[in-house]
């Protein structure tokens, strides 16, 4: 894949890259941005089912199937990325065996992560899932502070806002983090890891952070 085909872009907070059912005409390789994969139900409720950061790319269906997005992709943490037309990636995958192998390896890790998150969302407490989500996010941005409102976090976790408020208060009082004015700052990674479920370590192992 030629680097000349990659265009640097900056993804804004809340920017929607694809909607479910939309043809994927371009792919994104996040650098400092984090993208949430969100499933939206008919009645309007929504929950995060996966995330993509510097370990991967958005537009996986271009490689695996007919190039139709199956969920909403929205920028959760604003930052930089590289973008290229989907048809260029298809051609590159067909002609470059090493690239094809790398993308399929990522697809395997991504699918394994999704399977783990399904179990996590079903079996683990909101407190554990919140700590796991925060850790997965800082892994992808390489920083301990990022923008996040409790309203948005409640949607990411599929939990009621009062529940998320109580969880964040617990984590703050324990010395894991500080949160104010739409920002979260992790003050003790070790503390946060003590609250996270086993799914964090398992998901982390699928990628090189």
């Amino acid at each position: 894949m030629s680097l000349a085909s990659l265009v640097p872009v900056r993804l804004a907070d809340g920017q929607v890259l694809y909607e479910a059912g939309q043809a994927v005409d371009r792919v994104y390789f996040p650098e400092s941005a984090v993208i949430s994969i969100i499933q939206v139900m008919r009645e309007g409720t929504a929950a995060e089912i996966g995330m993509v950061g510097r370990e991967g790319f958005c537009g996986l269906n271009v490689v695996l199937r007919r190039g139709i997005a199956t969920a909403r992709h929205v920028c959760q943490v604003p930052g930089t990325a590289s973008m290229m037309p989907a048809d260029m990636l298809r051609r590159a995958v067909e002609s470059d065996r090493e690239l094809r192998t790398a993308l399929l390896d990522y697809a395997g890790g991504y699918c394994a992560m999704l399977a783990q998150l399904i179990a996590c969302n079903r079996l683990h407490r909101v407190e554990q899932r919140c700590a796991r989500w925060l850790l997965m996010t800082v892994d992808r941005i390489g920083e301990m502070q990022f923008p996040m409102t409790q309203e948005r976090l409640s949607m990411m976790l599929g939990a009621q806002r009062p529940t998320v408020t109580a969880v964040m208060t617990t984590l703050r009082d324990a010395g894991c983090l500080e949160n104010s004015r739409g920002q979260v700052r992790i003050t003790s990674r070790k503390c946060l890891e003590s609250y996270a479920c086993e799914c964090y370590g398992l998901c982390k192992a699928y990628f090189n952070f």
Side-chain angles (χ1 to χ4, degrees), residues 51-173:
M51 67 166 61
V52 180
R54 57 194 171 97
E55 82 287 357
F57 74 105
C58 298
L60 189 57
N61 283 351
V62 168
V63 177
L64 298 181
R65 58 194 304 270
R66 57 193 178 95
I68 303 297
T70 56
R72 176 180 295 168
H73 289 55
V74 60
C75 182
Q76 198 60 252
V77 179
T80 58
S82 292
M83 180 272 293
M84 71 182 302
D87 58 349
M88 285 189 179
L89 181 63
R90 288 192 188 96
R91 290 196 296 270
V93 167
E94 291 172 359
S95 61
D96 189 330
R97 181 177 180 180
E98 185 176 348
L99 173 64
R100 182 166 61 250
T101 298
L103 294 184
L104 289 177
D105 283 347
Y106 167 67
Y110 179 79
C111 290
M113 178 188 71
L114 292 190
Q116 190 66 42
L117 293 182
I118 290 171
C120 182
N121 291 335
R122 174 67 178 84
L123 300 174
H124 292 146
R125 302 189 310 274
V126 176
E127 181 181 272
Q128 295 174 299
R129 294 191 285 117
C130 183
R132 183 262 300 160
W133 190 93
L134 293 170
L135 287 165
M136 290 178 69
T137 300
V138 298
D139 281 347
R140 284 158 175 78
I141 64 174
E143 298 181 7
M144 292 294 135
Q145 182 169 324
F146 55 93
M148 179 56 57
T149 65
Q150 291 189 17
E151 181 178 1
R152 187 178 295 180
L153 184 57
S154 67
M155 190 266 285
M156 294 296 100
L157 299 174
Q160 296 294 320
R161 182 170 177 177
T163 301
V164 172
T165 298
V167 166
M168 292 295 281
T169 298
T170 296
L171 296 177
R172 183 194 65 204
D173 292 348

